[in-house]
Amino acid sequence: MKKIALVTGGSKGIGSAIVNHLITLGYQVIATYNTTKPNEKIENVLFKKLDISCFDSCSKLLEELDALGLYPNILINNAGITNDAMFHKMTPESWENVINVNLRSLFNLTQPIFTRMRENKFGRIINISSINANKGQAGQVNYCASKAGTQGFTKALALEGARHGITVNTVSPGYTETDMVNKMKPEVLDSIKKSIPVGRLASVNEIAAQVGFLISDSAAYTTGANFEVNGAMYCS
Ligand code: CAA
């Protein structure tokens, strides 16, 4: 069976590293982006613009991929946003936006793709969560709630997929070299860096490598689990 991976948020940061890693492993990849259109063409990668929070757009993309013979049997739910503020200053829009994009959207691609995976008796689903789902982080009530929800989503779906050859796992990166982390106030980021036992941020490739293993045939028995890649910043 041809292995076709759909990576959301695949044009930058961790998503882009996952896309590049999967190509080197020989997968056909579909990478979605929302605002950052990639300006280079990459062999074996089809870039598609997608708003993951819109069910109709997700259905339309899947119809299109089906017609091209590119319906995914591997799904990496990576796209996500932050909108940090202390809770007493958090607006309803900030709360809703983060929950919508990071958590509610999980239904939109996963439900139809999971249904097809059941029919085919094979599938790999990876949901990208965060160290802060388990650790908590002041200024991120919205984000932590969405990423903890992602872990619950993973565990329940893993139970449903287990007898159908579908594995579902979470990868929870720690603080990683991305625009999302680098846009933090320098003094806040500095104090966070000091609290990482490994002494540095993760590289995006270190997160991608974990994803590469979890979608491999060797990981068929690994399901319903959360993989922390956080330099021992939080040991759950
Ligand atoms: N714990 C408890 N209280 C804290 C705190 C902490 N860690 N940090 C700050 N506070 C308190 C401050 O002491 C201050 O209290 P007073 O008003 O009583 O003095 C109050 O919170 C406000 O603090 P700030 O001055 O920092 O508030 P701000 O509005 O300027 O900034 C913030 C708020 C933007 C949330 C900022 O604190 C911040 O950036 N925090 C870190 C958030 C974070 O870690 N984001 C991760 C982004 S990357 C990511 O999310 C990827 C991933 O998966 C890891």
Side-chain angles (χ1 to χ4, degrees):
M1 183 197 290
K2 190 171 166 192
K3 299 284 174 63
I4 303 168
L6 173 60
V7 182
T8 65
S11 70
K12 59 179 182 176
I14 290 173
S16 167
I18 293 171
V19 168
N20 290 325
H21 186 51
L22 299 199
I23 300 164
T24 63
L25 295 175
Y27 295 91
Q28 167 72 51
V29 180
I30 298 111
T32 75
Y33 63 92
N34 186 19
T35 49
T36 313
K37 186 174 181 183
N39 42 25
E40 52 164 349
K41 281 201 185 325
I42 307 176
E43 203 181 332
N44 293 328
V45 182
L46 179 61
F47 283 102
K48 286 281 174 187
K49 184 166 167 59
L50 177 72
D51 175 0
I52 54 163
S53 65
C54 173
F55 183 77
D56 289 346
S57 305
C58 291
S59 306
K60 205 166 143 247
L61 173 67
L62 291 175
E63 267 173 36
E64 214 180 297
L65 294 177
D66 211 6
L68 294 170
L70 289 177
Y71 203 93
N73 45 28
I74 297 167
L75 172 63
I76 319 294
N77 284 311
N78 163 75
I81 58 167
T82 52
N83 200 336
D84 295 355
M86 300 307 277
F87 192 57
H88 63 283
K89 294 185 196 165
M90 189 174 284
T91 62
E93 291 74 28
S94 159
W95 167 258
E96 270 163 33
N97 208 10
V98 171
I99 298 289
N100 262 342
V101 175
N102 294 0
L103 181 60
R104 290 190 74 238
S105 72
L106 286 182
F107 184 86
N108 299 341
L109 283 172
T110 313
Q111 206 262 0
I113 292 175
F114 178 81
T115 305
R116 182 75 66 93
M117 288 172 170
R118 279 181 106 239
E119 290 161 14
N120 295 336
K121 296 277 168 218
F122 173 82
R124 295 278 185 273
I125 299 174
I126 308 294
N127 300 314
I128 303 298
S129 177
S130 164
I131 180 175
N132 291 343
N134 295 306
K135 181 178 83 60
Q137 172 62 51
Q140 287 203 305
V141 167
N142 49 6
Y143 184 81
C144 294
S146 71
K147 292 301 185 179
T150 299
Q151 295 190 10
F153 177 94
T154 298
K155 289 182 209 173
L157 195 58
L159 293 173
E160 295 194 17
R163 275 183 296 151
H164 304 283
I166 306 166
T167 67
V168 191
N169 290 289
T170 308
V171 172
S172 292
Y175 284 76
T176 306
E177 285 285 4
T178 59
D179 292 350
M180 186 184 267
V181 166
N182 286 323
K183 79 179 180 197
M184 293 168 67
K185 286 190 222 163
E187 63 279 14
V188 178
L189 184 53
D190 271 358
S191 81
I192 283 173
K193 278 185 190 164
K194 286 189 186 118
S195 70
I196 304 173
V198 165
R200 61 172 175 83
L201 300 177
S203 80
V204 288
N205 295 333
E206 287 167 325
I207 311 301
Q210 181 70 65
V211 172
F213 167 69
L214 290 172
I215 64 170
S216 70
D217 289 341
S218 316
Y221 200 71
T222 306
T223 189
N226 175 40
F227 292 82
E228 299 272 4
V229 187
N230 65 33
M233 189 181 183
Y234 180 74
C235 303
S236 59

